[in-house]
Amino acid sequence: MTPGDGRPWLPVALLLLQVPGCSSLSGPNSTMGTVGGSLSVQCRYKEKFRETAKYWCKTPCLRDIVVTKEADREVRTGRVSIRDHRADLTFTVTLENLTEDDAGTYRCGMDTSGLPGYMIDLTFRVVVSVSPARTAAPSSLRPTSIPGLHTTLPAPTWSTVTLQETPNPSQHPGSLLSNIYFLLLVFLEVPVLLSMLSAVLWVNRPQGPWVEVDSAG
């Protein structure tokens, strides 16, 4: 098939080629891209078709989108390019800047209609799907980063300071026991100290004048 030849029998012939068993040309059955992105399709052929022209078309393939007859040279038509890698018997088609209109059924093809034993071109069907581009979330829904958060924190209030200075006793049983022990020491030692003080005062009390009594009188 050559560009613009408009062979009226080609769509019917392509339907016949959908019958399984044609392995001279193979590739992916489907591929997917995103609007604004790109995708590539790689088709593989047999050694005997190394010098055959390769092309890419969209069904009903009345015209080729892009065709190449040379090895390792990219041929471009608009947003579509094709390159024949004869060293590994593959050719790659790339669609760029995809739109939703690019979705549809395409074919990797080889111009075999002029070769002995071939009345029609060999093609392989590939279904291309194009999904809408992902839209960015509204700014109101985006999580905002706060650089230098430690410098923008509010000053602690009196309630937070009080809470930090007076922890819950139930969370610190050791502190509660220390307080009880201190109180016991106070209640036990204070009476002892008072008793000792009283004894000292009693011993050091001032002595009054003695009155001597005459036994003879």
Side-chain angles (χ1 to χ4, degrees), residues 6-48:
R7 301 173 186 173
W9 45 264
L10 186 57
V12 178
L14 292 177
L15 292 176
L16 295 177
L17 287 177
Q18 295 181 17
V19 178
C22 181
S23 59
S24 297
L25 182 63
S26 60
N29 293 319
S30 62
T31 185
M32 177 178 291
T34 305
V35 171
S38 61
L39 62 84
S40 296
V41 178
Q42 186 179 73
C43 294
R44 182 172 297 275
Y45 54 87
K46 289 187 175 182
E47 172 70 26
K48 61 181 177 180

Side-chain angles (χ1 to χ4, degrees), residues 30-104:
S30 62
T31 185
M32 177 178 291
T34 305
V35 171
S38 61
L39 62 84
S40 296
V41 178
Q42 186 179 73
C43 294
R44 182 172 297 275
Y45 54 87
K46 289 187 175 182
E47 172 70 26
K48 61 181 177 180
F49 301 111
R50 182 188 294 269
E51 305 295 331
T52 305
K54 286 85 177 176
Y55 60 85
W56 174 260
C57 65
K58 188 173 185 179
T59 57
C61 288
L62 298 179
R63 295 179 59 90
D64 299 334
I65 297 178
V66 64
V67 60
T68 180
K69 299 180 181 180
E70 301 181 24
D72 299 315
R73 177 178 175 271
E74 182 181 275
V75 178
R76 176 178 296 273
T77 301
R79 297 180 292 109
V80 185
S81 63
I82 187 172
R83 181 187 294 268
D84 188 4
H85 310 281
R86 295 182 180 179
D88 55 5
L89 303 179
T90 62
F91 64 95
T92 302
V93 178
T94 302
L95 287 74
E96 300 176 350
N97 194 19
L98 292 168
T99 65
E100 293 184 354
D101 293 337
D102 291 329

